[in-house]
Amino acid sequence: MADTGDIFEKGKQDAMFRPQTKTIGQIGFVYAHCGLEPDSGNLIYAVAAATIGPDGTEEKFDSLVRYRHLTERERYYANVTTRMVRNAPDPKTVRKRLRRFLGEADVLFILNDHNTIDTVRSFCGDIPAIDLSFGAEFFFPQLSAFTLKSLWEYRSGKERKKVHFSAAEVVDLSIDLVRHITGTLLSDRTTDHAPAVRYFLDHSRTRFGQTFCHIARQYQAYFNDLFSPCTVEDTPQWRKYLEKAAKTSRASGEAGPRRTISCEGLDALYRGLEKAGTGFRLRPEQVTYARHVAEALNDRAVLTIEAGTGTGKTQGYLVPALEFLRHNPDARVVISTYTKSLQEQIFQREISFTREALPVYRDVRVALLKGKSSYICAEKLDHRYDEELTGMELLAWLYCLLTVYRFRKTDIDTVGENILRYLDRGGLFRQMLREVSARSGCSPRHRHCPAQVVTAEASEAHLVITNHHKLALLDKDAVLAGRFNNYIIDEANHFETAVRNALGAEVQSREVRELLAYLRESAGRMLPQAAGEPETKLKDAVAGIERLRNLVRSFHDLLRREVPRTGTGAVQALPFDHPALTGGELRGQIAEMRKALRETGSAFEMVKEENMVRMLRMQRRTARRILGTVESLNNCAEALAEIDASFETANSITTVQVFRQNWIIAARRVEMGELIRKQFYERKESVIYTAATLCHRNRFDSFQQIAGMYPSRTIENEIEPKSFRFVRIPSPFSRDAMQIEIPEEAVSGKYDNKAAWTEAVVRLLPGLIQENRGRTLVLFSSYEDLNLVAGRVRDAIDTVRYPLLLQKPGQSTVSLCDEFRAVRESVLFGVDTFWYGVDFKGDTLTQVIITRIPYPPPSDPIQMARKKVMPPDAFWSRYRYDTDIKMRQGIGRLIRCDTDRGKVVILDTRYHP
C-alpha cells in the first residue's frame, strides 16, 4: 500500500481540517481507479486529472497505468480490458508525468468513492487535498447514496444505465460538483441560506471550508461566469432562514356521519389511471383488492389482506383511501410502512401520479411524517453553538444545520460513511447528533424545528404517510393524539417488531457519561461566579456526578461478572430468574442509578431562574442547553424505572449488551397482541393490514394471534363488536415463470452440520453462477455465513468472470443495488436487507440462491423469552411462521414483473414446499 502521508496520521487532525495558510491560485482535480491487490507496490490502473487556473484556463491529463491483477468488478468500473492495463505505461512513468502536470496546483479535489484517497494522494505528491466524496456528503445530505452513478444522476437529472466511468469522466463530474457547490449551494442568488453557510465554513478555519468559500468568491474567474454567487454579506444569523410551523386547529378525529365509498365506482377510477398513459395497467386483482379496502373503510372493520407480488397493493389501497377522504373531508387516514423507501415512494411518486391522473383528489391534503429521530432540533442546535467552535467541531455543527435547512429531503438517521469517517473522531459527531436530535425534548413550542413543522402539517392533513414506529407513538404526540382513526398498515409482516421497538425502554452508558461530562464542565465554569446556596448546590452536584459515574462503572463490572459472553457487544437476554435479579444486586444498582440521575439533574434546575443566570454570568443559550441535558438525564431515569418494572412482568424481555467500556440495557414486551388490540381496535375505526406474505399454509391464524385479533372483553365492543376480515389474493404472475429446485448435492443446513453444509455450498455455488451467467442473488442467514462462503468462492467466481458484490455491515445497500442492476452479469451476496423489499426487475436477476433456511436463531432474546411465556405448541407454531414468512419473502425477490423468468435454488435439504 502507498504511504498515507499525513491524512490519517494517528493523533493529528486531518490535513483537510487544518487552516489554509497559502493563497489559492490553481485548483486541481484527480481521480484514479484502484485495484485491491498491489502490483509491485502499485494499486492504480487508470488516472485522470484536470487543473483550472484563476483566469479560467483548464488543462486535462488522462492515462492508463500498468497493472496485472485486474478483477472483473474492477474491469467494469473503468470499462477497460486486462490487455489494455497490462500494456499501459509503468506506474513510475505515469506518476512522474502526473506530478509534472499538477505542479502549479495549490489544492486538489479527489473523489474518494472506494476509500482510496491515500493511494491517489501518494501518486500526486505533497499537494494538499480535499476529499470531494466527503464534500458531496456534506453539501448534499439529502442524497440516499453517494456512488459515482448517484452523483452523476443527481447532477444531470437523468437515469444512467451503465455503472462504469472512465477516470476522465469522474474528473469531469468532480469539476461539475465543485462548480455546483460554489455556484449554486453557496450562492445567495439561488440558495437563501447561503450567506450563513459561507460564514460558518469560513469561520471553521479549515482548508475544506476556506477553499470552497474562496472558489465561490472567485467563481466568475475560475469558471468564466457572468455572475457572482456572493452578492450578500456573510452572516452568522442562521435562524432567520428557518421555516416556521403553522398554527394547528383544535379539531380532532372525525365529525358527522360517514359517507360510504361506491365499490362499483372503483372500476372507473382505475380505468382513469390506465387512460392517463403513464404505463399504469389495470389488473382485475387490483380492483378486487381495492373493493375489500373500500368495504373495510365503509364498515369500520379490521381487514387483513395478503396480496401476492404484482397485485398492485399501493394503488390498491391508495385510490379507495383518497376516494374515502374526498367523500368525508372531516376524516383522516394514516398509511404506515416499514421501509423508508416505500414511504417516500408513496409520497413522492404514487400520490403525485394519482393526483395527476385523477384531479378530483388534488384538494386532499397529504403530509409525510417521519419519526422525530429523523430530524435535528433547531433549538438544541442553537444551544450547542459556541462562538469559539472551529475545525471539525464547527463543521459537524454546520452539517447538522444543513440537514435542518433541507429537512424535507434529508434523513439524519442515515448519515454518509465519509461524514462519520472524518467528523466522528473520538465520537465527536455521534455525541453531537445525540445531543441535538429531536427524538426527545423538542416540544411544540419550538416553532422553527423541522419536527414541529412536519407535525403541524400532518395535523392539518387528510392523509398522512408515516412509518410503523411513528404510528405506534402517534397518540402519544401532544399535537397529533386522537386526530387519526383509520390506519392502513403496509409491509404488515414487520409491524409487531416495529411496535415492540417503539414502545420499549433503553439506557446507554455512553449517553449517560456524555451528559454527565457536560454538566461537570458546566459546573466548573459556574462555580467561580457562585456564592452561598448556589455554590453549595453546585459543589453537591459535582460530588453527585462523580458518584453517578462510579455507579455507571460498577454496573458495567456487575454485568461483566454476571452475564455470559460479555465484552463482545452481543445482545444477551436477562431472564427474570437470573441470579443477578433474584439476588437483588442488579435491581439495587438500577434503583441507585435512577435516584442519582434525578438528584443530579435537580441540582442544575436553578438555571431556570433569570436572576441566577445573570448572577452566574451565563449565556441564556448555555442555560437552555443545561436544562436540555437535565431533561435527558430524567428520561434515562424514567427508562430505568420502566426496565425495573419489566422484571415483574412475564410478558417482557430485558436485554443487555456489554462492551469493553460501555453497556446498554433495554426492556421490551414479548407478545404485542394485547397492546395492539387495546391501542388500535378499541380506539380506532378502520385498521387495514396488508403485505405480500401474511399467511402460513394458506391460513391467517398466526398473524391473527400476533396482531391481537380476538374479541374484546370491553363493554363497548360487546355492544358493537369489531369485524375482523381476512382475504388472500394470489399473485397474477404465472407460476410457470419460476421454478424451485434443490440440487441433489445439497445437504442439511442444521447448525450441527455446518462443516458439511459449508463444503456443499462452496462446491455448488460457482457452477450454479456460471451456468446462469451471473445474474444471481445469493441470500445468507447471517454475515458469518456470508463471509465464510465468500472467502472460499471469491476466486472461483472471479475466474469465470462474474463481478462479485458483497453486502457489508453498516454500509448503505443503495449503491450495491444500483451496481447489481447496471452490471447484468454480476452476483450479489446479501443478508437480511435483501430478503425483503428489493426489486430487481428484468434479466439483471434470473436466479435466487437461498443458502440456508432462515430459522430464527435460538439464542435470539425474543425467541428465548417466547419459549418461556408461550405454550410449546404456540411457540413452535410461531417459530415456523416467522421462518416461512422470511422464506417466502426471499423466494419473492425473483419475480417482480410480468416478464421476469428464472429459478430459485435452495441449498438446504430441510426445505419442503
Side-chain angles (χ1 to χ4, degrees):
M1 291 292 291
D3 182 8
T4 59
D6 64 350
I7 282 197
F8 298 109
E9 186 177 346
K10 189 174 181 179
K12 293 186 178 181
Q13 278 191 334
D14 190 283
M16 186 167 60
F17 302 115
R18 294 174 182 161
Q20 175 66 33
T21 55
K22 181 181 176 182
T23 301
I24 300 174
Q26 189 180 80
I27 55 177
F29 301 83
V30 180
Y31 182 80
H33 284 295
C34 299
L36 296 175
E37 183 179 349
D39 181 3
S40 300
N42 174 59
L43 292 171
I44 293 176
Y45 58 91
V47 63
T51 59
I52 300 177
D55 58 354
T57 305
E58 185 174 332
E59 302 288 343
K60 295 286 185 73
F61 175 93
D62 189 9
S63 178
L64 295 178
V65 184
R66 187 180 301 164
Y67 184 71
R68 294 177 299 172
H69 304 307
L70 202 66
T71 67
E72 285 303 299
R73 192 179 183 193
E74 290 155 4
R75 184 174 68 83
Y76 273 100
Y77 278 141
N79 195 29
V80 297
T81 66
T82 302
R83 177 177 296 180
M84 289 167 65
V85 297
R86 283 183 175 175
N87 295 331
D90 65 87
K92 185 176 180 180
T93 300
V94 179
R95 185 186 300 114
K96 184 176 181 180
R97 292 173 183 170
L98 177 62
R99 292 184 177 187
R100 185 164 56 244
F101 173 81
L102 295 172
E104 299 299 320
D106 295 303
V107 66
L108 297 181
F109 289 96
I110 301 175
L111 259 177
N112 181 29
D113 67 318
H114 287 99
N115 197 19
T116 56
I117 192 169
D118 321 13
T119 303
V120 179
R121 279 195 69 244
S122 69
F123 216 68
C124 300
D126 294 330
I127 305 171
I130 289 174
D131 187 335
L132 190 52
S133 293
F134 168 80
E137 293 179 12
F138 187 88
F139 288 108
F140 315 138
Q142 72 274 19
L143 298 186
S144 59
F146 297 91
T147 61
L148 298 179
K149 181 175 180 287
S150 300
L151 292 171
W152 187 93
E153 289 177 338
Y154 167 68
R155 287 297 303 124
S156 67
K158 300 182 293 186
E159 182 181 359
R160 184 182 175 99
K161 299 294 184 183
K162 59 183 182 180
V163 71
H164 60 73
F165 287 79
S166 69
E169 284 182 297
V170 183
V171 167
D172 288 340
L173 174 61
S174 301
I175 295 171
D176 183 57
L177 290 173
V178 171
R179 182 167 187 162
H180 178 64
I181 291 168
T182 55
T184 301
L185 302 184
L186 297 182
S187 170
D188 46 65
R189 292 176 179 272
T190 56
T191 307
D192 59 353
H193 55 258
V197 177
R198 293 197 305 258
Y199 175 87
F200 294 114
L201 276 175
D202 210 15
H203 281 69
S204 71
R205 295 198 287 276
T206 61
R207 178 171 290 120
F208 176 83
Q210 291 170 314
T211 300
F212 277 109
C213 286
H214 167 79
I215 296 173
R217 293 177 186 126
Q218 303 300 318
Y219 184 85
Q220 290 169 283
Y222 278 114
F223 298 111
N224 296 313
D225 202 276
L226 294 175
F227 302 101
S228 170
C230 307
T231 64
V232 176
E233 186 177 355
D234 297 354
T235 176
Q237 304 303 318
W238 58 274
R239 293 181 64 96
K240 66 181 180 180
Y241 302 110
L242 298 176
E243 281 193 50
K244 187 177 181 180
K247 291 186 177 181
T248 58
S249 65
R250 293 182 178 274
S252 64
E254 300 176 16
R258 175 176 290 200
R259 296 178 60 191
T260 59
I261 311 167
S262 168
C263 293
E264 292 72 20
L266 290 172
D267 299 61
L269 293 171
Y270 283 104
R271 284 196 295 272
L273 290 178
E274 190 173 42
K275 289 177 182 177
T278 54
F280 176 86
R281 186 159 68 86
L282 178 64
R283 296 183 188 275
E285 295 85 357
Q286 187 176 54
V287 178
T288 301
Y289 179 101
R291 287 179 175 176
H292 285 293
V293 172
E295 288 169 356
L297 290 170
N298 287 341
D299 301 340
R300 297 175 170 84
V302 178
L303 169 66
T304 302
I305 181 166
E306 179 183 279
T309 304
T311 304
K313 294 193 307 296
T314 306
Q315 286 296 337
Y317 57 69
L318 191 55
V319 170
L322 290 168
E323 182 71 357
F324 172 73
L325 292 169
R326 184 171 73 89
H327 287 292
N328 297 277
D330 292 326
R332 301 286 184 270
V333 173
V334 180
I335 295 174
S336 167
T337 75
Y338 179 66
T339 57
K340 291 179 181 178
S341 58
L342 180 56
Q343 187 180 348
E344 291 170 357
Q345 175 189 323
I346 294 170
F347 183 72
Q348 295 172 4
R349 297 211 312 263
E350 302 289 351
I351 289 176
S352 297
F353 161 71
T354 309
R355 283 171 153 178
E356 187 67 27
L358 304 172
V360 291
Y361 300 135
R362 289 181 181 173
D363 291 336
V364 176
R365 295 190 298 274
V366 183
L368 177 66
L369 181 66
K370 297 181 182 180
K372 285 186 176 181
S373 63
S374 295
Y375 302 107
I376 296 293
C377 173
E379 294 297 326
K380 288 185 176 182
L381 190 64
D382 190 19
H383 306 163
R384 186 65 177 74
Y385 179 72
D386 189 298
E387 285 78 1
E388 295 181 1
L389 288 183
T390 59
M392 283 189 290
E393 192 170 7
L394 182 53
L395 289 178
W397 183 90
L398 180 55
Y399 177 84
C400 293
L401 177 59
L402 287 172
T403 66
V404 171
Y405 285 145
R406 298 175 193 163
F407 70 89
R408 296 192 183 279
K409 296 183 178 180
T410 301
D411 193 332
I412 200 64
D413 287 340
T414 51
V415 176
E417 294 172 14
N418 283 295
I419 294 293
L420 293 174
R421 178 169 166 248
Y422 283 105
L423 296 183
D424 198 39
R425 307 290 171 82
L428 164 75
F429 181 70
R430 293 179 196 268
Q431 179 180 344
M432 185 177 293
L433 277 187
R434 285 190 288 269
E435 189 170 343
V436 301
S437 169
R439 179 173 56 92
S440 63
C442 186
S443 74
R445 299 190 306 274
H446 297 174
R447 300 287 300 281
H448 290 94
C449 289
Q452 303 308 324
V453 173
V454 297
T455 299
E457 291 172 349
S459 72
E460 301 301 310
H462 300 110
L463 177 64
V464 170
I465 315 299
T466 191
N467 57 72
H468 295 344
H469 190 282
K470 181 66 177 177
L471 185 73
L473 299 172
L474 209 59
D475 281 345
K476 295 180 180 293
D477 190 296
V479 176
L480 301 175
R483 287 182 179 259
F484 302 93
N485 286 325
N486 302 283
Y487 291 171
I488 298 174
I489 301 168
D490 200 349
E491 301 179 308
N493 47 299
H494 296 287
F495 184 62
E496 181 203 31
T497 300
V499 175
R500 177 184 295 113
N501 292 335
L503 300 178
E506 180 178 285
V507 177
Q508 300 187 25
S509 65
R510 181 189 296 273
E511 180 181 6
V512 174
R513 281 196 176 103
E514 289 168 355
L515 296 170
L516 295 177
Y518 175 69
L519 289 180
R520 178 66 183 85
E521 179 187 342
S522 300
R525 290 196 300 264
M526 295 157 63
L527 271 169
Q529 283 76 42
E533 185 180 355
E535 183 182 15
T536 302
K537 281 188 174 182
L538 285 172
K539 287 181 177 179
D540 289 344
V542 170
I545 289 171
E546 191 57 37
R547 185 169 68 88
L548 186 48
R549 290 169 67 177
N550 289 332
L551 283 171
V552 171
R553 280 194 294 268
S554 63
F555 193 68
H556 181 264
D557 294 339
L558 173 63
L559 292 176
R560 286 179 65 89
R561 186 173 67 249
E562 297 288 348
V563 181
R565 292 172 59 193
T566 55
T568 65
V571 179
Q572 297 287 292
L574 200 64
F576 66 88
D577 55 355
H578 192 281
L581 294 176
T582 55
E585 185 178 3
L586 188 143
R587 294 188 69 177
Q589 288 213 20
I590 287 176
E592 278 193 71
M593 281 194 292
R594 187 170 73 243
K595 180 181 178 183
L597 283 166
R598 294 196 181 281
E599 290 176 350
T600 300
S602 64
F604 286 89
E605 289 185 349
M606 60 182 174
V607 300
K608 288 180 179 178
E609 302 173 16
E610 291 289 341
N611 290 338
M612 186 64 64
V613 171
R614 283 194 295 270
M615 186 197 79
L616 296 173
R617 301 175 188 175
M618 182 187 301
Q619 290 185 349
R620 191 66 231 167
R621 175 195 292 144
T622 303
R624 288 195 293 265
R625 184 180 174 188
I626 290 172
L627 292 174
T629 304
V630 168
E631 182 177 0
S632 296
L633 283 182
N634 289 335
N635 290 339
C636 291
E638 289 175 13
L640 284 175
E642 289 184 46
I643 292 168
D644 187 58
S646 73
F647 295 134
E648 306 288 343
T649 307
N651 187 36
S652 65
I653 178 66
T654 303
T655 59
V656 294
Q657 288 175 268
V658 186
F659 305 89
R660 190 168 61 87
Q661 294 182 331
N662 293 294
W663 49 261
I664 300 173
I665 186 167
R668 292 176 175 84
R669 293 173 184 256
V670 181
E671 293 302 289
M672 304 300 298
E674 181 71 11
L675 186 145
I676 292 172
R677 182 181 66 77
K678 289 180 178 179
Q679 186 165 324
F680 289 79
Y681 315 140
E682 294 185 10
R683 298 180 184 177
K684 305 303 171 185
E685 299 195 346
S686 305
V687 179
I688 298 164
Y689 295 104
T690 187
T693 53
L694 290 173
C695 293
H696 176 50
R697 301 188 184 278
N698 298 323
R699 295 175 62 87
F700 286 97
D701 299 20
S702 294
F703 185 78
Q704 187 174 357
Q705 188 67 26
I706 289 167
M709 288 187 233
Y710 35 81
S712 171
R713 296 182 178 84
T714 62
I715 294 175
E716 293 84 353
N717 278 328
E718 284 181 359
I719 296 171
E720 187 178 353
K722 185 69 72 175
S723 172
F724 295 111
R725 302 173 184 175
F726 303 90
V727 177
R728 186 167 183 258
I729 301 177
S731 169
F733 298 152
S734 170
R735 293 188 177 184
D736 296 334
M738 176 177 64
Q739 64 183 84
I740 299 178
E741 62 181 53
I742 304 174
E744 291 183 4
E745 300 91 336
V747 301
S748 169
K750 279 187 175 181
Y751 288 100
D752 58 7
N753 194 46
K754 186 167 184 176
W757 170 83
T758 303
E759 291 299 325
V761 171
V762 169
R763 186 171 59 253
L764 287 166
L765 268 182
L768 290 167
I769 289 166
Q770 184 173 17
E771 181 184 349
N772 200 64
R773 292 179 292 137
R775 302 177 297 171
T776 299
L777 172 63
V778 185
L779 295 173
F780 292 87
S781 294
S782 68
Y783 276 113
E784 181 184 353
D785 286 352
L786 186 154
N787 293 327
L788 175 64
V789 173
R792 296 185 57 184
V793 302
R794 185 194 300 270
D795 291 342
I797 294 174
D798 194 57
T799 299
V800 293
R801 302 177 69 82
Y802 297 115
L804 178 59
L805 315 178
L806 304 179
Q807 183 181 3
K808 296 180 180 178
Q811 291 190 356
S812 169
T813 59
V814 176
S815 58
L816 274 182
C817 291
D818 283 348
E819 189 173 352
F820 185 63
R821 292 186 184 99
V823 184
R824 293 186 178 180
E825 299 85 357
S826 57
V827 178
L828 174 57
F829 283 15
V831 292
D832 264 359
T833 315
F834 287 97
W835 288 78
Y836 302 100
V838 291
D839 283 334
F840 300 117
K841 297 177 181 178
D843 60 0
T844 190
L845 176 61
T846 57
Q847 179 175 241
V848 172
I849 299 176
I850 295 176
T851 56
R852 192 203 291 266
I853 297 175
Y855 288 109
S859 60
D860 175 69
I862 290 294
Q863 297 300 326
M864 295 171 66
R866 282 187 185 138
K867 205 164 188 177
K868 286 180 176 291
V869 303
M870 297 173 70
D873 288 348
F875 170 78
W876 288 113
S877 176
R878 177 61 193 272
Y879 191 81
R880 289 188 289 269
Y881 173 80
D882 289 344
T883 304
D884 182 47
I885 292 298
K886 188 170 182 179
M887 192 72 183
R888 289 172 59 199
Q889 284 282 343
I891 292 171
R893 295 313 96 209
L894 183 65
I895 307 298
R896 308 303 298 173
C897 66
D898 289 311
T899 58
D900 283 354
R901 297 290 184 273
K903 64 180 178 179
V904 176
V905 182
I906 299 169
L907 304 182
D908 187 339
T909 55
R910 294 175 295 171
Y911 177 72
H912 299 287

